[in-house]
Amino acid sequence: MPPPRTVSAPPGDRASTVTSTPATVRRRKAERFTETGLGWLLLLPSVVVFALFVFWPLGRTLYLSVHGNDLFGAPSVYVGAEHYREMLSAEFGKVLATTGLFTLFSVVPAVLGALFVVLLLEARIRGVRVLRTAFALPFAFSVATASVVFAVIYNPAIGVANGLLGSLGIDRVNWLTDPSIALPAVCAATVWMNFGYNVLVLSAGVAAISPEVVEAARLDGASGWRLASRITVPLLSPQLFFLVVVSTIHALQSFGQIHILTKGGPDQATTTLVYSIYEKAFAFGSSDFGSASAQAVVLLVVMLGCTAVQFGVLERRVHYR
Amino acid sequence: MKKFSLGRLAVYVVLGLAAIPVLFPIYYGFVGAVMGPGDLATYPPALVPHELHWQNISDVFRSVSLGRFYVNSAVQAGAITVAQVVTSILAAYAFAFLRLPAKAATFGLFLATLMVPWEAIIIPNYLAISGWGLARGGLTYLGLVLPFLASAFGTFLLRQAFLQFPTELRDAAVIDGCGHWRLLWRVIVPLSKPSIAAVGVYVFLSAWNQYFWPLILIRDSNFQTLQIGISQLNDAEVAQPGLVLAGVALSLLPTLAVVLFGQRYIVRGLTAGALR
């Protein structure tokens, strides 16, 4: 977050800076009072929305996580840490492991791949603008539309993925129903979905690098790999840092692609934390809101932890201009 | 532009190879939309259609209420966009220009909402919205938009823009007798159009692309949004990928338009505040 700036004196104040007779003091107080009132009035809509749909639900999630619920999901009795104890199981361990793998293999390739492409686009070649727009195009796809396209491509019988393998003489692969392949397949689709956004952000970063710096380096004889590794990449570190933080947070929240492509299967191979919450609370008429809320608390803690670690550790190594 | 060299050729080749996996799903999404069953069901599948099968486009409207889904998504995303832009402008003005007790703490509270993942609080929100009867009938629209009427991100971005506003301009307006309300709508807002557009584009895209919330909230298919409709089309018509891809292609048109025409606002909105 950028540091808060000092705000210059508000417009209402300027009339009353010369003298301070009791009358002007009173008027100044009245002005300040109406200014405060107006301020709270302007903040009111947002504050109400946040109170109702962020802060109250936050407390409610904690409350639900320590209560059992009846068949309709209404909290009935206090059960203490029972829902949390349930999580000390191999099953939930697998959910956490899947979440970690999914995050790692959807964030790292998408960021490195986009960096690679954006660096190549710096090679002063013809048609750079068209190429850059082309590489950014996946951004126009929503998670749902991209997932549906990949569902068609991954179709075991008539999908193009197997068609191409077949023409290379390789046997058909059950992309989404083979437990050892489903997670990589969903990760690959997610990397594709994130690619355009990463290219957009990194291109904007490259465009902001001052041409003098690059020119000076070129005059000193740097080019190609040296220019990229010594000049461009270090100057892109704020964007890279931003992308790692944002895509990790996104990956931990991923839901649509898993719901559309695999429904968490096969054999829980793609059940991430968020999907597990959905499954317990909403899927197939299930309304185990207690356990789901306990897992939601875990999600909250994991995400806060990630953000803290990334800001604490990574940011110190980032070079800001 | 320098003369031809081997290094340059290598760059083209590598970029070309990298472009294949990036562009292929897009190509296939659109070309598959006009492929007939003959092209899609052959093994190995055709990559180029033998004839253009435009019928998919009309068939998809018959298979699902695509038109209705469009209207629903437009109502939902439009309402969220307008509301968030307005509430963000109001809050940003208060944070940027007004003297308020506990302003820093309140601003901190706004920023704290960015740290809370929506998925972690979706259960109580679902219980509240459906408990208030906002998941049924026409009220579903209300349930879809109500939790998203304010945005800390939009407030933050606009506050940054307002703070960069030249003090002289503001003073001149005040000397001319401009009150806060007129100052906001007649001076600040018109001059902050690029930032407001960035917020609008960003909010519209994320609202239009929502998946989790409409999926769990909507029970009446008359109020289904486009994203959920397309995924249900996929479940229902697995045997007819041409039909499914036609639905995808049609549903992409609004976001493609926003991305192609609003690209500079997107980059601005995506990176503002997060990068120094």
Side-chain angles (χ1 to χ4, degrees), chain A residues 1-14 32 35-40 42-43 45-47 49-50 52-58 60-61 64 72-73 116-117 120-121 123-127 131 133-145 147-153 155-160 162-167 170 172 192 195 197 200-201 204 218 238-239 242 253 255-256 259-260 263 274 277-278 281-282 289 292-293 296-297 299-300 303-304 307 315 320-321, chain B residues 1-2 8 11-12 14-15 18-19 21-26 28-30 40-47 87-88 90-103 106 109-129 132 146-152 155-156 159-160 163-164 167 170-171 174-175 180-181 183-184 205 209 211-212 215-216 227 230-231 234-235 238-239 241 244-245 248 251-252 255-256 259-260 263 266-267 270-271 273-276:
Chain A
M1 290 316 151
R5 281 163 222 227
T6 41
V7 181
S8 56
D13 254 29
R14 61 178 6 269
R32 199 166 294 168
E35 188 180 316
T36 306
L38 177 68
W40 289 123
L42 296 182
L43 291 178
S46 299
V47 169
V49 172
F50 291 149
L52 276 178
F53 299 109
V54 179
F55 292 113
W56 187 70
L58 201 56
R60 190 87 182 143
T61 298
L64 289 172
F72 308 102
F116 180 68
V117 161
L120 279 181
L121 286 172
R124 293 181 173 187
I125 50 171
R126 225 176 273 273
L131 277 170
T133 306
F135 280 110
L137 266 183
F139 182 71
F141 283 65
S142 69
V143 168
T145 47
S147 303
V148 168
V149 171
F150 274 92
V152 173
I153 289 174
N155 183 306
I158 53 178
V160 175
N162 275 347
L164 293 177
L165 288 187
S167 49
I170 304 171
R172 291 180 186 207
W192 186 86
F195 201 80
Y197 174 83
L200 277 174
V201 171
R218 276 187 200 278
Q239 279 78 12
F242 168 75
Q253 291 173 294
F255 172 75
H259 186 254
I260 291 171
K263 302 249 185 299
V274 166
I277 293 169
Y278 163 78
F282 304 109
F289 294 123
S293 295
V297 173
L299 174 73
L300 189 69
M303 301 239 323
L304 289 178
T307 315
E315 199 177 20
Y320 283 110
R321 268 154 284 163
Chain B
M1 210 58 64
K2 287 181 196 162
R8 230 162 277 262
V11 169
Y12 273 118
V14 177
L15 277 178
V22 176
L23 293 182
F24 181 74
I26 301 172
Y28 196 68
F30 282 97
L40 284 156
T42 50
Y43 186 82
L47 295 179
T87 55
S88 297
L90 297 180
Y93 185 85
F95 282 130
F97 300 130
L98 297 181
R99 198 196 304 250
L100 287 173
K103 186 156 81 174
T106 314
L109 218 58
F110 269 56
L111 293 185
T113 64
L114 292 173
M115 305 274 179
V116 180
W118 169 247
E119 291 73 13
I121 52 172
I122 201 166
I123 295 167
N125 275 310
Y126 169 81
L127 292 174
I129 293 283
W132 298 337
L146 216 47
F148 306 102
L149 294 184
S151 143
T155 305
F156 179 73
R159 171 185 169 270
Q160 295 300 104
L163 284 178
Q164 282 160 19
T167 323
R170 214 150 44 85
D171 289 348
V174 173
I175 290 167
H180 282 297
W181 194 249
L183 180 67
L184 172 58
L205 282 178
N209 291 342
Y211 188 79
F212 201 164
L215 176 80
I216 60 171
Q227 307 298 325
I230 294 300
S231 72
N234 179 49
D235 289 340
V238 182
V244 176
L245 293 177
V248 167
S251 78
L252 273 171
T255 39
L256 264 182
V259 168
L260 288 177
Q263 206 166 5
I266 289 171
V267 174
L270 291 181
T271 56
L275 302 170
R276 321 179 184 181

Side-chain angles (χ1 to χ4, degrees), chain A:
Chain A
M1 290 316 151
R5 281 163 222 227
T6 41
V7 181
S8 56
D13 254 29
R14 61 178 6 269
S16 53
T17 44
V18 189
T19 51
S20 49
T21 61
T24 50
V25 169
R26 246 197 322 270
R27 205 180 63 218
R28 206 190 299 173
K29 270 186 180 161
E31 272 170 6
R32 199 166 294 168
F33 182 76
T34 52
E35 188 180 316
T36 306
L38 177 68
W40 289 123
L41 204 66
L42 296 182
L43 291 178
L44 192 67
S46 299
V47 169
V48 169
V49 172
F50 291 149
L52 276 178
F53 299 109
V54 179
F55 292 113
W56 187 70
L58 201 56
R60 190 87 182 143
T61 298
L62 294 173
Y63 174 86
L64 289 172
S65 78
V66 290
H67 283 79
N69 49 256
D70 61 25
L71 275 176
F72 308 102
S76 48
V77 287
Y78 176 78
V79 297
E82 196 185 305
H83 295 310
Y84 292 94
R85 267 196 297 275
E86 278 169 30
M87 285 191 271
L88 300 172
S89 63
E91 195 191 341
F92 190 69
K94 192 181 172 191
V95 167
L96 289 183
T98 305
T99 310
L101 287 174
F102 175 81
T103 304
L104 190 66
F105 290 111
S106 61
V107 171
V108 175
V111 173
L112 291 183
L115 177 65
F116 180 68
V117 161
V118 168
L119 288 179
L120 279 181
L121 286 172
E122 279 303 283
R124 293 181 173 187
I125 50 171
R126 225 176 273 273
V128 165
R129 285 169 66 111
V130 176
L131 277 170
R132 189 176 295 140
T133 306
F135 280 110
L137 266 183
F139 182 71
F141 283 65
S142 69
V143 168
T145 47
S147 303
V148 168
V149 171
F150 274 92
V152 173
I153 289 174
Y154 284 146
N155 183 306
I158 53 178
V160 175
N162 275 347
L164 293 177
L165 288 187
S167 49
L168 297 172
I170 304 171
D171 274 349
R172 291 180 186 207
V173 171
N174 289 320
W175 297 97
L176 301 173
T177 50
D178 181 332
S180 60
I181 295 172
L183 187 62
V186 176
C187 285
T190 308
V191 166
W192 186 86
M193 292 170 205
N194 295 338
F195 201 80
Y197 174 83
N198 294 356
V199 168
L200 277 174
V201 171
L202 290 178
S203 295
V206 166
I209 293 176
S210 82
E212 290 89 7
V213 175
V214 179
E215 210 43 57
R218 276 187 200 278
L219 285 177
D220 287 345
S223 68
W225 169 246
R226 266 184 80 82
L227 186 71
S229 64
R230 295 295 170 85
I231 307 287
T232 317
V233 172
L235 286 176
L236 276 180
S237 58
Q239 279 78 12
L240 288 169
F241 168 66
F242 168 75
L243 280 184
V244 170
V245 174
V246 167
S247 8
T248 302
I249 287 169
H250 264 146
L252 289 169
Q253 291 173 294
S254 292
F255 172 75
Q257 60 268 59
I258 296 166
H259 186 254
I260 291 171
L261 289 173
T262 59
K263 302 249 185 299
D267 189 26
Q268 310 280 302
T270 55
T271 302
T272 58
L273 187 47
V274 166
Y275 197 80
S276 168
I277 293 169
Y278 163 78
E279 221 168 28
K280 286 206 178 301
F282 304 109
F284 317 117
S286 164
S287 50
D288 189 355
F289 294 123
S291 302
S293 295
Q295 296 195 356
V297 173
V298 173
L299 174 73
L300 189 69
V301 172
V302 168
M303 301 239 323
L304 289 178
C306 271
T307 315
V309 166
Q310 283 169 327
F311 273 94
V313 179
L314 275 177
E315 199 177 20
R316 264 182 249 139
R317 303 186 181 192
V318 173
H319 172 91
Y320 283 110
R321 268 154 284 163

Side-chain angles (χ1 to χ4, degrees), chain A residues 145, chain B residues 29-30 33 56-61 66-67 70 208 226 230 233 243-256:
Chain A
T145 47
Chain B
F30 282 97
N56 288 339
I57 308 283
S58 53
D59 281 353
V60 73
F61 282 95
L66 204 68
Y70 250 105
W208 181 272
L226 205 48
I230 294 300
L233 181 70
L243 209 60
V244 176
L245 293 177
V248 167
L250 287 169
S251 78
L252 273 171
L253 296 179
T255 39
L256 264 182

